[in-house]
Amino acid sequence: MHTTPTHPHDSAGSADWTSVCDLDRLEPLWAEAALIDGVQVALVLLPDGHLFAVSNQDPATGSCVMSRGIVGSRGDRPTLASPLHKQVYDLETGECFTSADYALPTFPVRVDHGTVQIQVPGSAHGRAGERAETELSDTVEFAAA
């Protein structure tokens, strides 16, 4: 199983890991949405086992629709295209290939004993730069197809 590395702006030990779902609930090439401490996340599993977690919020419109985007690639880079205006984002870095004005936030993700876990900064409390303190026993909403 491959997971996205910790984003350079993230600090590996500064936020707790939150369990989201069992890995076998994810279907390759089909993004799924999860709500973690008020933050919407889109999970993307590729056929080769790479797993990515990105913001579900479209940077161009603010709509929470990225989990309904088109999974693809640009060269060897896995991508997710917004379903609204088709901006294309690198799943690993969040870089927008079609417009330098946008970037898609990415989150550290891992699989622990078959359970997908994510670290999400605590934006639900409205304090910039502060991380959410979540417990693994917290309720996480998950929208399965």
Side-chain angles (χ1 to χ4, degrees), residues 27-141:
E27 184 177 334
L29 300 176
W30 186 262
E32 292 292 348
L35 181 63
I36 303 169
D37 194 30
V39 177
Q40 288 198 30
V41 175
L43 293 167
V44 180
L45 178 64
L46 300 182
D48 66 2
H50 281 86
L51 178 63
F52 299 91
V54 298
S55 175
N56 196 35
Q57 188 173 27
D58 182 334
T61 66
S63 299
C64 291
V65 295
M66 293 306 292
S67 61
R68 296 297 163 235
I70 301 165
V71 179
S73 64
R74 286 265 171 119
D76 63 348
R77 305 300 304 173
T79 61
L80 182 62
S82 168
L84 298 178
H85 297 288
K86 307 302 185 241
Q87 286 90 359
V88 178
Y89 299 92
D90 184 306
L91 278 169
E92 187 172 340
T93 67
E95 173 189 6
C96 184
F97 288 115
T98 54
S99 174
D101 294 335
Y102 305 115
L104 185 64
T106 62
F107 305 104
V109 61
R110 70 182 183 189
V111 177
D112 184 34
H113 295 92
T115 300
V116 175
Q117 296 180 334
I118 303 174
Q119 283 184 327
V120 176
S123 64
H125 304 293
R127 293 180 289 237
E130 185 174 293
R131 301 238 175 225
E133 293 184 13
T134 56
E135 298 295 328
L136 293 180
S137 62
D138 284 351
T139 301
V140 176
E141 297 178 34

